[in-house]
Amino acid sequence: APIFGIIGGISMYKFSLVISALVFIALSSLATTLFIICKNKVIAFFGCLAVNFAIAILPMLYDSTYYLQYFPHRVLFPAVLLLGCALLFRLRQSSKYKFAVIAGFIFCCFGTLWNFDTGLVSLISYCGFVAYIKLYQFPLREKNTIKYLIYISLCFLGTLALAFLILLLVTYSRTGKILNPIDIFYAQTSFYGDGFYMIRMSPIHPWLILIGVYLVSLTKGIRELAIFRSGLSQYSFEQSVFFFLMPVLGMGIFSYYQGRSHDYVLPAVIWPGIIILVLFIQEYANDICSLPQNCTSTAKPFNSAKILPLIKYFIAGLIMSFIVSSFLVNMLDDTRLTYAKSMA
């Protein structure tokens, strides 16, 4: 409502204009993030195409429109948060880092006001991101690290308190009544508690592939943190941070599908998994082109011994694409059949 108030009221044209702007901000933020964290811009480009296909094109193939209950407003703040984290990582050695961290918490505060579900997920993911960087610099048992983790926890609670205070003031200024805190969670209690509009998850379904990707990525991110502290890792610390951040964010976003496990909802929540797969491809591309330890040449020879894992991932992805494609074809056929019966 405030957005339409600024642009002078609501109409179909203005609604479409605002939705288009939100779609552009979300997709451009994800694309910029991929180009920042991927050294190989060709991989980043095709990763952007894959993310755009899952978020923007696939819903159009299914129902000729976006799933407006989820996209773009539930993707907006997580997407911009990823871009902010990519930029914040570059400032970790700068004197502006502390102020940038505080700015990130303020951003998460408005994200919580924008949409509580994805806003809370974004806030938790951001806290994990900042803590991960700190744990890379200092061990967990040091007093400075413990104090910093307590500081992050206080910022987490302070962000939620600030969001509630803003909501309380806005509600009172518009209605003249004090907001009951229980009313904030009315949608969640109706959805998760009473089961309104919920669909149960199928035990055998492509969502298992997505959870598997998240678990592998999270395990790798935690393992890489320990290896980086020992100074033995040969991989990029920036990519390791996102190997940790993306599954935390992705599993929080996946909770929407967990509540409403419709086939139409699944494509809307798989984009964090696609970014993780792009990071894996980037890592294997670095391995393929890496120099042997005894090589003194400035040219990077092609290491054919390391291409086998990439071929395995390609074959696995090809098999998965056939599975998902057949799944989507059946889903579209069922939708068309249901629509035909309703029109008969």
Side-chain angles (χ1 to χ4, degrees):
I3 296 178
F4 294 107
I6 294 174
I7 62 177
I10 185 172
S11 64
M12 182 59 67
Y13 171 74
K14 293 180 179 178
F15 177 80
S16 301
L17 189 64
V18 171
I19 293 298
S20 300
L22 297 181
V23 170
F24 174 78
I25 294 173
L27 295 181
S28 61
S29 297
L30 293 175
T32 307
T33 303
L34 282 173
F35 275 95
I36 290 176
I37 63 179
C38 291
K39 294 181 180 180
N40 191 314
K41 304 310 176 186
V42 175
I43 295 177
F45 173 75
F46 282 102
C48 292
L49 293 181
V51 171
N52 289 341
F53 176 79
I55 296 179
I57 300 178
L58 194 56
M60 301 292 290
L61 298 176
Y62 179 75
D63 200 26
S64 301
T65 185
Y66 291 129
Y67 186 51
L68 295 178
Q69 188 174 347
Y70 190 87
F71 183 74
H73 69 283
R74 290 179 184 264
V75 180
L76 178 65
F77 272 83
V80 178
L81 176 69
L82 288 179
L83 177 58
C85 289
L87 298 175
L88 181 62
F89 182 85
R90 304 296 177 90
L91 297 175
R92 68 187 189 282
Q93 304 294 343
S94 173
S95 58
K96 300 178 182 179
Y97 179 74
K98 293 182 179 179
F99 299 100
V101 170
I102 296 175
F105 280 105
I106 296 175
F107 173 81
C108 292
C109 173
F110 288 101
T112 306
L113 290 171
W114 178 267
N115 182 268
F116 180 77
D117 294 335
T118 53
L120 181 61
V121 169
S122 300
L123 177 58
I124 295 174
S125 303
Y126 181 70
C127 292
F129 170 80
V130 177
Y132 189 97
I133 295 178
K134 188 66 175 181
L135 290 173
Y136 166 72
Q137 299 172 341
F138 302 98
L140 180 60
R141 296 182 180 180
E142 282 196 8
K143 292 183 178 180
N144 291 334
T145 305
I146 297 176
K147 290 181 180 179
Y148 194 79
L149 295 179
I150 295 175
Y151 168 75
I152 294 175
S153 301
L154 293 177
C155 289
F156 173 81
L157 297 176
T159 301
L160 293 179
L162 178 60
F164 174 72
L165 180 61
I166 294 175
L167 182 61
L168 193 67
L169 293 176
V170 171
T171 303
Y172 183 78
S173 64
R174 294 175 65 90
T175 64
K177 298 181 180 180
I178 298 178
L179 178 65
N180 187 353
I182 300 178
D183 294 337
I184 300 176
F185 306 101
Y186 176 78
Q188 285 75 19
T189 55
S190 299
F191 187 69
Y192 294 103
D194 299 334
F196 174 75
Y197 215 54
M198 291 187 70
I199 299 177
R200 292 183 178 181
M201 296 179 65
S202 175
I204 306 298
H205 198 269
W207 67 262
L208 294 171
I209 301 175
L210 181 63
I211 295 300
V213 171
Y214 288 157
L215 293 177
V216 171
S217 179
L218 184 62
T219 304
K220 177 178 174 56
I222 297 174
R223 178 177 175 272
E224 282 294 322
L225 180 62
I227 298 177
F228 269 108
R229 290 203 48 79
S230 63
L232 299 176
S233 179
Q234 59 179 345
Y235 299 115
S236 168
F237 177 60
E238 182 177 20
Q239 289 190 7
S240 297
V241 171
F242 278 87
F243 273 123
F244 174 81
L245 173 63
M246 292 309 305
V248 175
L249 181 65
M251 285 187 285
I253 292 174
F254 182 78
S255 63
Y256 183 85
Y257 174 79
Q258 185 179 4
R260 180 165 174 78
S261 303
H262 193 281
D263 295 337
Y264 188 25
V265 180
L266 183 60
V269 300
I270 64 174
W271 60 268
I274 296 176
I275 295 179
I276 291 174
L277 294 178
V278 173
L279 292 177
F280 273 113
I281 294 174
Q282 174 65 73
E283 184 176 276
Y284 275 109
N286 294 338
D287 288 345
I288 292 171
C289 299
S290 62
L291 281 168
Q293 295 182 356
N294 57 352
C295 182
T296 58
S297 173
T298 56
K300 292 186 176 181
F302 182 78
N303 193 343
S304 59
K306 293 183 178 181
I307 197 175
L308 184 58
L310 188 60
I311 295 177
K312 291 180 179 179
Y313 271 92
F314 174 77
I315 295 175
L318 190 62
I319 295 174
M320 288 169 54
S321 66
F322 282 120
I323 296 174
V324 175
S325 298
S326 61
F327 159 73
L328 291 175
V329 169
N330 293 333
M331 181 176 65
L332 291 173
D333 291 341
D334 292 341
T335 303
R336 295 189 183 100
L337 181 61
T338 304
Y339 179 76
K341 289 181 178 179
S342 63
M343 296 297 294

